[in-house]
Amino acid sequence: MFSECTLDFNSTKMVSVMNTIDTGHEDLIHDAEMDYYGLRLATCSSDHSIKIYNLKSGTQSLIADLKGHYGPVWQVAWAHPKYGNLLASCSYDRKVIIWKESGEWTKLYEYNNHDSSVNSVAWAPHEYGLMLACASSDGTISILTNTTDASSWDAKKISNAHTIGCNAISWSPATSPLPTLDPGNSLKSNNVRRLVSGGCDNLVKIWKEEGDRWVEETKLEVHSDWVRDVAWAPSIGLPRSTIASCSQDRRVIIWTSEDNINWTSTILNTFDDVVWNVSWSLTGNILAVSGGDNKVSLWRENNEGQWICISEVNKGQGQMVGNEQRAL
């Protein structure tokens, strides 16, 4: 089971196993990500490799086996297709690698300016340009920006972002609603770039770009143990921002704000075990949660503002999932 990847089909009523892929990985799989069109799957593993599959009509075929890391690969992330077929990966080996498909998949760029494991990578909304955020156990966050050509990148670093280490990173949407219900208002461009991060200091932090540097805008303190994942919800036209965070304290917390400065916390649920991952649906109204209880559950907010579990499925018999094995 350690070398298999299960794809789940989700609706508001049920989750059922749609397909199980024997990836051929020789060790634990830490991440599996579909591309923008849902036609390709990238997986990464403690066997130091990244594999890419074509998915078609319930079948899959391996098209690339990428080797360039020298430690467990924790996470992969697809760039928006307007920039071509680009995939970022991060590893215990302290490196971030950007891969590009030009006939064959090759290494486009390697970033090795972290002093410890790089635990999370996230591409910015495509409206911001080709930008990649990287979170590391050395406590820093790096923001890589493509400059003149595909192989040239500018790096900025947020030092001491989280004491002990940074575990997760996520970008705010590129568009945000105007903070009124005036019918004449609509989605507008959000010129202020923001990130949310989670760390080993039990904190969720929001960062804002100011000129040529990134500054801490807000510190959110509710979790009582390491924050393992954060996810900023897509903008769906509502006059508020929403962030989900999960922790080793077994809780998932939903943070909401009307102005991105004052945030209100709601405990979605306290689970039976550590929670490793949270992920929003494309419309931002359903949250997927996975953790040490070996289950994936889907949650949706009802009209009374309560978060209701609408579906749940067991992951299988594997005991170690997600980023459980990331460097501590």
Side-chain angles (χ1 to χ4, degrees):
M1 290 297 295
F2 286 159
S3 63
E4 291 185 347
C5 175
T6 300
L7 303 181
D8 293 321
F9 170 79
N10 54 347
S11 69
T12 57
K13 293 182 179 179
M14 63 175 289
V15 174
S16 59
V17 175
M18 184 177 180
N19 194 12
T20 298
I21 298 172
D22 184 355
T23 64
H25 280 297
E26 298 174 356
D27 210 329
L28 300 176
I29 297 171
H30 297 287
D31 195 19
E33 296 288 339
M34 305 285 287
D35 72 355
Y36 181 84
Y37 298 109
L39 299 177
R40 288 182 173 183
L41 173 72
T43 61
C44 61
S45 166
S46 277
D47 66 8
H48 307 180
S49 74
I50 300 150
K51 295 179 186 289
I52 301 175
Y53 300 85
N54 269 334
L55 305 178
K56 186 177 181 181
S57 303
T59 64
Q60 66 281 332
S61 58
L62 179 67
I63 59 174
D65 187 355
L66 307 180
K67 300 215 167 113
H69 286 291
Y70 298 95
V73 186
W74 303 130
Q75 199 171 64
V76 288
W78 293 92
H80 191 277
K82 73 176 289 185
Y83 299 109
N85 289 327
L86 295 179
L87 184 74
S89 60
C90 63
S91 169
Y92 179 79
D93 66 7
R94 310 177 184 181
K95 295 192 298 185
V96 173
I97 297 178
I98 298 173
W99 309 84
K100 180 178 178 65
E101 183 185 36
S102 298
E104 294 183 354
W105 283 90
T106 57
K107 186 187 299 184
L108 176 68
Y109 179 75
E110 183 176 301
Y111 179 70
N112 53 13
N113 198 25
H114 280 288
D115 297 325
S116 191
S117 171
V118 184
N119 301 319
S120 181
V121 285
W123 291 100
H126 67 88
E127 295 90 342
Y128 293 164
L130 198 53
M131 302 177 67
L132 183 72
C134 318
S136 172
S137 290
D138 64 12
T140 69
I141 297 169
S142 291
I143 295 94
L144 309 180
T145 304
N146 184 232
T147 53
T148 55
D149 60 77
S151 59
S152 179
W153 298 76
D154 174 66
K156 294 178 182 177
K157 186 172 281 192
I158 303 173
S159 299
N160 301 314
H162 291 272
T163 56
I164 309 177
C166 185
N167 297 320
I169 197 83
S170 180
W171 291 84
S172 69
T175 56
S176 62
L178 293 171
T180 75
L181 296 179
D182 185 339
N185 288 337
S186 58
L187 290 180
K188 66 173 183 178
S189 174
N190 180 9
N191 293 323
V192 179
R193 297 169 181 169
R194 287 182 171 90
L195 290 163
V196 60
S197 61
C200 301
D201 51 9
N202 309 346
L203 297 176
V204 173
K205 291 186 178 184
I206 296 173
W207 306 89
K208 179 173 68 172
E209 186 182 37
E210 286 189 353
D212 62 351
R213 66 193 185 105
W214 288 80
V215 298
E216 181 183 315
E217 184 175 40
T218 309
K219 183 186 299 181
L220 305 178
E221 303 180 71
V222 171
H223 286 296
S224 58
D225 207 335
W226 289 13
V227 178
R228 281 301 185 173
D229 200 13
V230 290
W232 204 309
S235 177
I236 55 172
L238 295 176
R240 68 176 183 179
S241 294
T242 304
I243 293 170
S245 62
C246 65
S247 167
Q248 289 185 201
D249 66 10
R250 302 183 290 116
R251 294 184 294 176
V252 171
I253 295 176
I254 305 297
W255 310 86
T256 56
S257 175
E258 305 291 330
D259 57 9
N260 288 322
I261 298 174
N262 301 296
W263 292 81
T264 301
S265 64
T266 301
I267 298 176
L268 177 141
N269 190 46
T270 300
F271 292 82
D272 294 331
D273 208 332
V274 56
V275 186
W276 297 117
N277 298 101
V278 286
S279 179
W280 292 100
S281 63
L282 291 177
T283 52
N285 63 335
I286 296 176
L287 183 71
V289 179
S290 63
D293 60 3
N294 224 24
K295 296 176 181 177
V296 176
S297 56
L298 301 182
W299 299 77
R300 184 174 60 187
E301 188 178 19
N302 64 18
N303 293 333
E304 289 73 43
Q306 299 173 320
W307 286 87
I308 306 299
C309 181
I310 59 174
S311 191
E312 185 176 272
V313 65
N314 289 328
K315 284 186 177 178
Q317 299 178 353
Q319 295 300 308
M320 320 259 310
V321 297
N323 54 1
E324 183 169 1
Q325 289 299 297
R326 292 189 189 177
L328 304 183

